Amino acid sequence: MAYDNNNIFAKILREEIPCKKIYEDDFVLSFYDINPQKKIHALVIPKGKYVDLDDFAVNASNDEIVGLIKGINIVAKKLNISADIGKGYRALANISEHGGQEVPHLHFHLFGGEKVGKMVQ
Ligand code: 5GP
C-alpha cells in the first residue's frame, strides 16, 4: 500500500491538527490516543512516512529503527510505566487488515497505568 499523505497522523506530524504531545525528537512523535482504552494510552509514531511495521522494517534506515525503539522506551519512562521505574505496559502495533489497523501510518500503542488484561480479546 502506498503511503497516504492525508492520513490523520501525517496531519498531526505537519501540525495541521493538534495532539496532546508527550515527547518528540528527531525520529519519533508521541501523543495521547484520542480514545484511550486504558488508564494510560499513548501512541508513538516514527516521523518518517511508513504505512506499517512491515514497510518500516524493509524501508526505514537503521537510525530510524533504533530511534523508534528507543523512543518507545523514553516515552514509557516519561509516563512512569517502564519496567524499571513502573509496573510495565503493553506495546502493540496493529498491522494492515487482519491486524485491525485503522490509521495507515505506523504507530505503537502503549497501554499501561493498570493491568491491561489478556493479549487478544
Ligand atoms: P489503529 O487501530 O490504527 O492501531 O489505531 C489508531 C488509533 O488512533 C486509535 O486508537 C484511535 O483512537 C487513534 N486516533 C484516531 N484519530 C486520532 C486523532 O485525531 N488523534 C489522536 N490523538 N488519536 C487518534
Side-chain angles (χ1 to χ4, degrees), residues 8-9 12 17 31-35 41 43 94 100-103 107 109:
I8 201 89
F9 293 168
I12 287 175
I17 63 169
F31 48 93
Y32 287 102
D33 196 289
I34 205 166
N35 182 23
H41 185 173
L43 299 169
N94 294 319
Q101 182 177 3
E102 288 175 2
V103 178
H107 49 282
H109 298 258

Side-chain angles (χ1 to χ4, degrees), residues 102-113:
E102 288 175 2
V103 178
H105 180 114
L106 171 61
H107 49 282
F108 274 87
H109 298 258
L110 306 193
F111 301 106

Side-chain angles (χ1 to χ4, degrees), residues 14-55:
R14 291 195 298 266
E15 299 184 343
E16 292 169 9
I17 63 169
C19 70
K20 274 183 69 183
K21 192 190 288 187
I22 300 166
Y23 174 73
E24 181 173 14
D25 63 24
D26 287 348
F27 296 106
V28 300
L29 176 67
S30 176
F31 48 93
Y32 287 102
D33 196 289
I34 205 166
N35 182 23
Q37 302 298 308
K38 293 292 167 193
K39 271 189 187 162
I40 294 175
H41 185 173
L43 299 169
V44 183
I45 73 173
K47 287 197 165 171
K49 297 177 178 182
Y50 300 103
V51 176
D52 56 31
L53 190 61
D54 288 341
D55 181 21

